[in-house]
Amino acid sequence: MLPDLRYALRTLRTHPGLTAAVVLTLALGIGAASTIFSAINTVLLRELPIRDPDRVVRIFAMEPRAGLRDDFSWPEYTDLKQPARAFSGVIAVDALSAGFSIEGNSELVTGEFVSANYFDVLGVRPAVGRGFLPEEELEPGAHPVVVISHGLWQRLADGDSSVVGRTAQVNNSSYTIVGVAPEGFGGTNFALARDVWIPLMMRDRVTGGGATGGLPSMGTDSWHRNRRAHVVQVLGRLGDGVKRGEAARALNQTFGTWAALFPGMYDGVTSRVVAERAGLINPEMPELVTASRLLALTVVGLVLLIVCANVMGLLLARAVAREREIGVRTALGATRARLVQQLLTESVVLAVPAGLLGLLLATWATPIYTAFLPSAVPLAVDFSPDVMVMAFAFLSAIGAAIVFGLVPAAFATRAGITNALHDQRGQVGVRRARTGLIRGVVGAQVALSVVVLMTAGLLIRATLWQQAVDPGYDVAGRVALALDVRVNGYDETAGRQFYAHLLEQVQRLPTVRSASLARSGAFGLPGTTNVLSATQPTEGNTAGVAMGFNIVGPDYFRTLGIPLLAGRDFDTRDRAESPHVAIVNQTFVSRFWPGGDAVGRRIVIDETRGPAEIIGVAADAKYSAIAEAPRPFVYLPLEQHYRAPMTLYVWTGGDERTLVQPIRDVIGQLDRTLPVAGVMTLQEAVDTDLALARTAAVLATSVGALALFLTAVGLYGILAFGVTRRTREIGIRMAVGAHRRDVLWLVIRQGIATVGLAVGVGLTAALYLGGLLEGLFFEISPRDPGTLALVVTVLLGIALLAMYLPARRAARVDPMDALRTD
């Protein structure tokens, strides 16, 4: 191998132009493919740092009328975790945010309320200390213990192992630190790293009591005893040999038992067991996660194939020029296998630096993802290349070397000694076997480019569609700030006074048109509540239906620009002691009272509070995501359903960003130690929801542009090579009377035949792939005619330009110079 390596280096050094073209082309392809693969790895492939993560699933309940929900009550969870053959363990999880401090060092942190078996079921061993004990979830409020993250341990305790046993303050209440999670573990959400874990039975102590995940109060029946208080998400670890379908069937039997024990609560309810990552990204259509993986990996593979085809074309042209050299080697006794080994060595020599350069390009390009992530949301997504991405780049380089090197090597060593030693540069035309293979490579490149461009076009169209969707409220001039007065120990009375003074002071600021409060922020996953019954169910019955809700203050709809279609807004008449009221959205009305008037009707939000009168109907809006379908939604007045965590919305007539500091100053005047989190304009909230789609569209555009560039270079290269090989023929044609336009058409015609057939093949493949990915592009059909027309037009335009340049050079050949060529 060493002589082959030395000869390969000498040969490539004598052709620096070809060497640079191959290395740069391959580096671009590997860099683009590695950049895409890095995103796939981060979002879809990289698993949670737990034991056997592929065995962990998310559990959902499918209700006949309300659809899919992922929240369960504590009694439901305790039933599900009983010994069953389907699961080796089941855990309960809910999100939390709180003020956290150790010895004067404090932060506003996010975390999880968890069942005591959380760390055991996930197979996570704390780096220091222990997890939770079974007795720490038996009695509410009895065991104030906390496990902290490795990062929080480093930030607030300088990594001191004696932190275990110390006392920390969580919302001004004392907790004992019993453990530190291992480095890299951030909970059950890969995108949101958590800093603290607290037993679920400490929920009331952390939240100040009575707060049940935003649900309306359960009265005297606490959340941990009420089967309707859906406050936890449930994850399970499949038993040995158990598949998700088997687990779902076992859960359906459990739901059937519940239906018999609790009439009316579980009629028709079935289970859905979804892989952990798919359940987090899109539980309603988990197959889209698989489809997304397929699509992304297909694009990666197509990019690499396009690059290989491009490089193969260059090396095929080089192989034709080396036929005499190959003939001499064969005449001196070299076997075909020995010659193929030499030529493959040259391919590997080209691929290794290209792979390293491609990995550097990917390392430089992956921050593109981070640039499109919203800065207002603290995400813990790391797109930087890891060991898997590096392995991918290395294998891509070696695989590409074999793919693009083997065909030219086999082609170059196929000719006999006599043909190879005979100088064919002066013959009219080039043998069909040569040109046919080279054109086939270029045609394959064009066909692959059609598929890549079609995919990119569909992603771009889908993103543009999402950007054009009306969120249901005005984003201009609106800003939101998240507050939680529990951090500073406010009880309900003090909290109500603080928020009332805050609104009063903020509304006095110059340029402020309106201000209001809401329990959940825009696209803040507002949670679900049960509408238990309607007292006037003339055309519909809302019994037991879970639906989205929010708790809002007066002027909420005016502040966000959500139109009220009927009735009135919440106002001073809706006090805590007043009859309960609610506002519903248009979809709520159309589902339960189609064609009727909802104002004045009554619904029961929970059994302990009695009926609530519908006083208004609001226009539909987007509550959790731009792409979500319209769904029933209920608004409840803050005065009647007080919650400590609130989002302050302010509408200004000027630049909303200039209003942030004055609002902070007002909050500081009321309480200088109260932290403000989640400062975001409504435009940023929309951008946050569209971040992933926009990033995918930018990458798709980049990949499409790269595919176009490589296709154009490949097509230009093969036609330019053909012109060079046919210089003598062209000279003879012009000497016997051919016009320049005839020569121009002669060259372009060859390219048109290759491109036309390749475009047809590529469109067929793209339409077939689109059928497999139906539904992945939201409201855009995978067979969208506009995208098809645009792709074909752009590709043909670039192809014609690539064909015209060598054709024009051929048409300018001087017959006398051409006839002197030997």
Side-chain angles (χ1 to χ4, degrees):
M1 293 295 294
L2 287 177
D4 286 349
L5 183 60
R6 286 195 295 269
Y7 182 78
L9 292 172
R10 283 201 308 271
T11 302
L12 296 175
R13 190 167 58 246
T14 58
H15 297 83
L18 176 68
T19 302
V22 171
V23 170
L24 289 177
T25 300
L26 191 57
L28 278 174
I30 292 176
S34 298
T35 301
I36 301 171
F37 183 79
S38 182
I40 303 170
N41 179 48
T42 299
V43 178
L44 300 176
L45 299 179
R46 188 181 295 168
E47 296 176 322
L48 292 175
I50 60 179
R51 173 172 54 85
D52 297 331
D54 58 312
R55 304 294 297 167
V56 175
V57 296
R58 293 182 180 271
I59 299 174
F60 296 83
M62 174 65 75
E63 298 188 346
R65 301 181 65 182
L68 199 67
R69 64 176 175 86
D70 66 344
D71 46 0
F72 293 83
S73 66
W74 182 259
E76 289 173 337
Y77 160 70
T78 56
D79 288 348
L80 291 175
K81 78 169 184 174
Q82 297 304 317
R85 64 181 184 276
F87 298 97
S88 62
V90 177
I91 62 174
V93 180
D94 189 30
L96 72 88
S97 62
F100 184 91
S101 65
I102 304 176
E103 298 176 354
N105 299 319
S106 61
E107 280 190 18
L108 186 63
V109 300
T110 61
E112 291 176 322
F113 292 113
V114 299
S115 53
N117 61 347
Y118 177 84
F119 293 103
D120 292 335
V121 172
L122 293 180
V124 175
R125 293 179 58 87
V128 180
R130 63 171 176 86
F132 299 124
L133 303 176
E135 57 266 26
E136 289 171 345
E137 70 173 28
L138 295 180
E139 184 179 351
H143 299 279
V145 293
V146 60
V147 173
I148 63 176
S149 71
H150 192 278
L152 188 65
W153 178 43
Q154 295 293 327
R155 293 194 302 271
L156 299 188
D158 297 323
D160 186 355
S161 59
S162 66
V163 71
V164 173
R166 291 189 195 175
T167 298
Q169 298 296 314
V170 180
N171 284 354
N172 286 337
S173 182
S174 296
Y175 285 73
T176 300
I177 300 174
V178 297
V180 177
E183 186 175 6
F185 179 74
T188 55
N189 188 321
F190 77 97
L192 299 171
R194 307 300 189 181
D195 281 318
V196 297
W197 292 269
I198 297 174
L200 264 159
M201 283 298 153
M202 301 305 300
R203 163 188 280 277
D204 286 349
R205 180 165 175 169
V206 173
T207 60
T212 56
L215 286 170
S217 172
M218 295 298 148
T220 59
D221 195 5
S222 178
W223 63 269
H224 59 276
R225 292 191 297 270
N226 193 319
R227 297 189 72 87
R228 298 185 186 277
H230 296 153
V231 298
V232 298
Q233 294 178 323
V234 176
L235 290 82
R237 178 176 290 280
L238 296 175
D240 294 339
V242 177
K243 297 182 179 179
R244 292 196 295 270
E246 297 175 72
R249 287 190 291 273
L251 288 176
N252 286 339
Q253 294 177 0
T254 301
F255 288 173
T257 302
W258 292 353
L261 293 175
F262 306 99
M265 286 186 62
Y266 299 99
D267 294 344
V269 177
T270 58
S271 69
R272 180 174 293 180
V273 178
V274 183
E276 182 276 324
R277 188 59 52 88
L280 188 64
I281 294 176
N282 194 331
E284 294 190 358
M285 299 186 68
E287 63 275 8
L288 288 187
V289 175
T290 302
S292 299
R293 288 173 178 163
L294 173 64
L295 175 64
L297 292 174
T298 299
V299 171
V300 168
L302 291 176
V303 169
L304 290 175
L305 287 175
I306 291 172
V307 171
C308 289
N310 191 287
V311 174
M312 194 183 300
L314 293 174
L315 294 186
L316 278 171
R318 172 65 179 152
V320 172
R322 296 180 68 179
E323 283 189 354
R324 286 176 62 84
E325 173 197 338
I326 299 299
V328 171
R329 287 174 170 271
T330 304
L332 293 176
T335 64
R336 189 178 187 189
R338 185 69 182 81
L339 293 172
V340 169
Q341 176 183 316
Q342 171 61 55
L343 295 175
L344 282 178
T345 301
E346 294 180 14
S347 298
V348 172
V349 169
L350 289 168
V352 170
L356 293 174
L357 182 57
L359 187 57
L360 287 176
L361 290 175
T363 303
W364 171 78
T366 45
I368 293 175
Y369 296 106
T370 306
F372 281 89
L373 292 177
S375 59
V377 179
L379 297 176
V381 181
D382 183 11
F383 290 112
S384 58
D386 59 8
V387 175
M388 184 175 287
V389 177
M390 293 179 185
F392 170 81
F394 173 76
L395 293 176
S396 297
I398 299 302
I402 295 174
V403 171
F404 72 68
L406 193 58
V407 174
F411 175 80
T413 58
R414 189 178 64 174
I417 297 177
T418 303
N419 290 334
L421 293 176
H422 183 69
D423 191 349
Q424 299 177 12
R425 288 176 296 169
Q427 292 183 1
V428 177
V430 182
R431 288 184 304 170
R432 296 192 178 200
R434 295 171 175 171
T435 55
L437 180 58
I438 297 175
R439 288 178 187 171
V441 170
V442 174
Q445 187 177 358
V446 173
L448 293 171
S449 297
V450 171
V451 179
V452 172
L453 289 172
M454 188 66 189
T455 303
L458 289 172
L459 285 172
I460 294 169
R461 287 288 303 274
T463 302
L464 293 176
W465 173 84
Q466 290 184 73
Q467 289 179 321
V469 170
D470 181 10
Y473 47 76
D474 294 333
V475 299
R478 271 80 175 180
V479 66
L481 298 89
L483 304 167
D484 189 350
V485 295
R486 297 173 306 180
V487 173
N488 284 6
Y490 286 69
D491 59 16
E492 180 174 340
T493 301
R496 286 180 179 274
Q497 292 176 348
F498 174 86
Y499 285 128
H501 291 153
L502 176 62
L503 284 177
E504 181 182 355
Q505 296 296 324
V506 167
Q507 288 171 338
R508 291 178 180 176
L509 293 174
T511 76
V512 170
R513 296 181 177 180
S514 178
S516 187
L517 295 162
R519 172 64 184 87
S520 300
F523 303 136
L525 300 177
T528 59
T529 186
N530 282 304
V531 177
L532 302 179
S533 65
T535 58
Q536 299 174 349
T538 53
E539 289 94 3
N541 187 344
T542 58
V545 176
M547 60 188 59
F549 81 101
N550 202 354
I551 297 172
V552 303
D555 263 355
Y556 173 80
F557 299 97
R558 176 170 173 260
T559 301
L560 268 70
I562 301 176
L564 277 175
L565 306 179
R568 65 173 178 87
D569 196 352
F570 299 127
D571 55 32
T572 55
R573 288 171 284 182
D574 307 312
R575 296 184 298 275
E577 65 275 11
S578 303
H580 289 173
V581 294
I583 294 175
V584 299
N585 70 347
Q586 192 173 7
T587 299
F588 186 104
V589 177
S590 62
R591 177 168 298 187
F592 299 112
W593 298 290
D597 184 8
V599 176
R601 297 180 184 271
R602 295 178 180 274
I603 56 176
V604 177
I605 301 299
D606 73 73
E607 295 154 321
T608 63
R609 287 178 173 264
E613 180 184 352
I614 298 175
I615 62 171
V617 177
D620 288 340
K622 301 296 183 180
Y623 310 106
S624 298
I626 283 289
E628 72 179 6
R631 59 187 176 115
F633 203 81
V634 179
Y635 300 92
L636 305 173
L638 173 60
E639 283 297 315
Q640 296 180 352
H641 302 271
Y642 171 77
R643 292 294 175 267
M646 278 287 144
T647 298
L648 172 67
Y649 287 100
V650 182
W651 174 27
T652 175
D655 181 2
E656 62 268 32
R657 270 293 172 187
T658 63
L659 199 60
V660 172
Q661 190 55 49
I663 296 174
R664 285 182 177 273
D665 292 340
V666 169
I667 296 172
Q669 292 169 8
L670 296 174
D671 187 340
R672 63 182 181 84
T673 64
L674 184 67
V676 179
V679 179
M680 183 185 299
T681 68
L682 288 200
Q683 184 61 59
E684 288 173 336
V686 174
D687 293 341
T688 297
D689 185 67
L690 294 175
L692 185 59
R694 287 175 174 171
T695 303
V698 169
L699 285 172
T701 303
S702 304
V703 171
L706 176 63
L708 272 178
F709 170 75
L710 293 176
T711 300
V713 169
L715 191 58
Y716 171 83
I718 184 56
L719 292 179
F721 171 74
V723 168
T724 301
R725 297 287 294 176
R726 301 178 66 180
T727 300
R728 184 177 177 83
E729 174 198 343
I730 292 171
I732 294 174
R733 287 177 179 272
M734 297 185 71
V736 296
H739 295 287
R740 292 183 182 273
R741 65 175 178 272
D742 297 325
V743 175
L744 191 70
W745 173 244
L746 174 69
V747 177
I748 291 179
R749 183 177 59 195
Q750 296 175 355
I752 288 177
T754 300
V755 171
L757 179 61
V759 167
V761 173
L763 284 177
T764 302
L767 291 175
Y768 175 75
L769 179 62
L772 297 177
L773 302 176
E774 191 77 40
L776 185 61
F777 303 101
F778 302 103
E779 297 296 316
I780 305 300
S781 169
R783 299 178 177 86
D784 179 51
T787 305
L788 284 171
L790 181 63
V791 166
V792 172
T793 301
V794 171
L795 186 58
L796 290 180
I798 295 295
L800 285 173
L801 179 62
M803 290 184 285
Y804 174 74
L805 296 177
R808 187 182 64 172
R809 181 164 67 88
R812 292 180 177 179
V813 169
D814 188 325
M816 294 303 296
D817 292 338
L819 292 174
R820 294 193 191 100
T821 302
D822 182 49

